[in-house]
Amino acid sequence: MSRIKSIVVDDEQESRETLLRFLSKYCPDVELIGEAGSVNEAVEVIREMSPELVFLDVNMPVENGFKLFEKISDRNFYTVFVTAYDQYAVQAFKHHAVDYLLKPIVIHELIITVNRVARLLEDKNKIQQLSALLHHIKSPVEQSKIALPTLEGLVYVHTIDIVRLQADDNYTSIFFKGGKKMMISHTLAYFEEALKEQGFVRIHHQHLINLQHVEKYIRGRGGYIIMSDETSLQVSQRKKDEFLRIIKRIK
């Protein structure tokens, strides 16, 4: 996982330096990309640097930390409040803070907080990847085509019509809904790369399937899949965990 792009917002320079030092020394997952001494400065830094995490002091002159959320409506970062006063805790969590750290900062509490943010970002990335996969599996797939080389030239077919592909040495047999079959002079690895954004998954060294056409999964050592053309395909033990993860996400 990439490091967490973070900024520190605190009007007291000494407090900023302390937190920056702790993060640099004890939190290797954090990448410090900026700091600010006021809400207005923080708004500028956030808009310029797009941090994933903001450590935000509550008590600052002119405007307190909560004012930041009035000035940034499209918040796309996690917030950890840092303050010497505990009476703001309820208000902090009403603003969906990840955590609330009291000064002076306790190092192990800081580490726990950073680890919590790392898990949240990991889950967020998984959701985004799943959304992208589902996006390709749905309507765009119906419009997607792939060019298949034949003796006469190129034949363009809708990927949604492909049920499965099967390796045959340096050739690949492509099975379509309705029973049509084509043999193409490309390896299965070629099609795995070409179709990976279209909802196709490799379940075996011989089989690449279209998730749109999966009807049933039968458990077993690797298990096997029933496709929409009633074909039963074995899932290799090596591919089983990956396939089940994908199916669970879609489900």
Side-chain angles (χ1 to χ4, degrees), residues 36-228:
S38 69
V39 168
N40 285 336
E41 286 182 20
V43 171
E44 293 179 9
V45 174
I46 289 169
R47 287 175 176 165
E48 179 183 355
M49 304 299 294
S50 299
E52 297 169 303
L53 172 60
V54 174
F55 290 92
L56 180 62
D57 184 27
V58 176
N59 267 2
M60 291 188 287
V62 185
E63 295 177 308
N64 69 25
F66 297 112
K67 291 291 183 180
L68 178 67
F69 305 116
E70 296 178 12
K71 301 193 175 194
I72 298 183
S73 56
D74 55 339
R75 191 189 343 171
N76 192 28
F77 53 85
Y78 292 110
T79 309
V80 172
F81 282 97
V82 184
T83 180
Y85 306 93
D86 60 4
Q87 69 264 34
Y88 297 109
V90 173
Q91 192 175 354
F93 289 116
K94 282 184 178 178
H95 283 81
H96 307 290
V98 173
D99 214 336
Y100 186 91
L101 297 175
L102 286 174
K103 298 177 182 178
I105 293 173
V106 178
I107 292 171
H108 83 268
E109 291 179 356
L110 176 64
I111 293 172
I112 290 172
T113 294
V114 169
N115 288 340
R116 182 178 296 125
V117 174
R119 288 194 297 272
L120 288 170
L121 285 170
E122 185 176 2
D123 290 342
K124 181 179 178 181
N125 289 334
K126 286 179 180 177
I127 291 171
Q128 290 174 341
Q129 290 167 6
L130 173 58
S131 297
L133 176 61
L134 292 175
H135 173 76
H136 285 298
I137 289 176
K138 292 178 181 177
S139 58
V141 174
E142 296 175 6
Q143 302 170 10
S144 299
K145 288 186 175 183
I146 187 171
L148 303 177
T150 66
L151 293 176
E152 292 78 25
L154 295 175
V155 175
Y156 291 86
V157 301
H158 289 283
T159 55
I160 191 65
D161 292 334
I162 300 174
V163 176
R164 60 190 180 89
L165 302 92
Q166 183 171 321
D168 189 355
D169 293 327
N170 290 324
Y171 289 80
T172 297
S173 294
I174 302 179
F175 298 84
F176 296 86
K177 63 182 182 181
K180 180 182 176 181
K181 174 184 174 182
M182 294 178 68
M183 181 171 281
I184 306 298
S185 59
H186 280 313
T187 64
L188 192 61
Y190 167 85
F191 285 107
E192 181 180 12
E193 178 64 25
L195 294 168
K196 66 181 181 181
E197 300 295 332
Q198 307 298 327
F200 285 74
V201 176
R202 187 84 170 255
I203 61 166
H204 189 278
H205 73 275
Q206 281 193 308
H207 302 302
L208 180 68
I209 64 168
N210 185 346
L211 291 174
Q212 285 279 350
H213 290 280
V214 173
E215 294 290 332
K216 187 185 296 185
Y217 170 71
I218 310 297
R219 297 182 183 277
R221 185 176 182 184
Y224 61 95
I225 295 168
I226 307 298
M227 302 298 293
S228 63

